[in-house]
Amino acid sequence: LGPVLDLYTGVGLFAMALAAQGIGPITAVEGDTVAAEDLEANARAFGQRLQPVHASVEEFLADIPRPSAETVIVDPPRSGMSRTAIERLVAAQPGRLIYVGCDVATLARDVGKFSRAGYAVRHLEAFDFFPNTPHVEILATLDLTNAARQ
């Protein structure tokens, strides 16, 4: 996986699972104040392996023009990623994007933007965590194609 960047991390669900497996370093970014406080408390158990950051995704990506992460996990809100966040992430050119979405339409919109920027969908899977409801979680793994690397 290489260094990992977990955006829209909430309290750190994915970041903590990876850190518990010995994967790192991981930078976990959350904009919500309450979730960021919980993230910081949760990250303490993992020392330097998991670095919590309280900032919006857009602010974080603006301050770090080229994150060193080879793998980026995004789990945006139902509304999906902002145009600014997508543009900044595309400019950073991580080798792999793992997009977790709770809305099929916004995931399709965002994945389409990444595809036009040189990412190829390598895996797509749906999870029905809420039976008998229209809600479904989708996991998309995208890799930067060799032609898109600069």
Side-chain angles (χ1 to χ4, degrees):
L1 284 176
V4 176
L5 177 58
D6 185 0
L7 303 175
Y8 310 96
T9 193
V11 300
L13 174 70
F14 300 118
M16 288 188 307
L18 292 172
Q21 293 180 40
I23 295 169
I26 302 163
T27 302
V29 180
E30 177 54 46
D32 179 78
T33 301
V34 174
E37 289 172 0
D38 289 340
L39 170 63
E40 188 172 318
N42 291 336
R44 286 187 199 115
F46 301 101
Q48 297 298 320
R49 192 176 313 137
L50 176 52
Q51 177 65 45
V53 176
H54 180 201
S56 73
V57 168
E58 294 80 6
E59 291 169 338
F60 177 81
L61 292 174
D63 290 342
I64 312 269
R66 189 128 184 154
S68 62
E70 181 59 22
T71 301
V72 176
I73 301 168
V74 297
D75 186 5
R78 189 168 297 283
S79 58
M81 295 179 69
S82 71
R83 180 172 46 192
T84 301
I86 291 173
E87 288 171 356
R88 290 179 178 165
L89 195 51
V90 164
Q93 291 194 314
R96 172 162 286 172
L97 295 171
I98 300 171
Y99 191 118
V100 180
C102 60
D103 184 272
V104 175
T106 55
L107 178 132
R109 178 198 69 204
D110 293 352
V111 166
K113 290 176 183 177
F114 286 116
S115 293
R116 287 187 292 282
Y119 284 86
V121 175
R122 299 292 183 216
H123 182 80
L124 189 63
E125 193 165 350
F127 298 90
D128 186 8
F129 292 134
F130 309 100
N132 301 315
T133 74
H135 300 290
V136 64
E137 293 288 320
I138 306 109
L139 173 80
T141 302
L142 301 94
D143 289 333
L144 185 62
T145 63
N146 286 333
R149 291 186 189 271
Q150 293 180 353

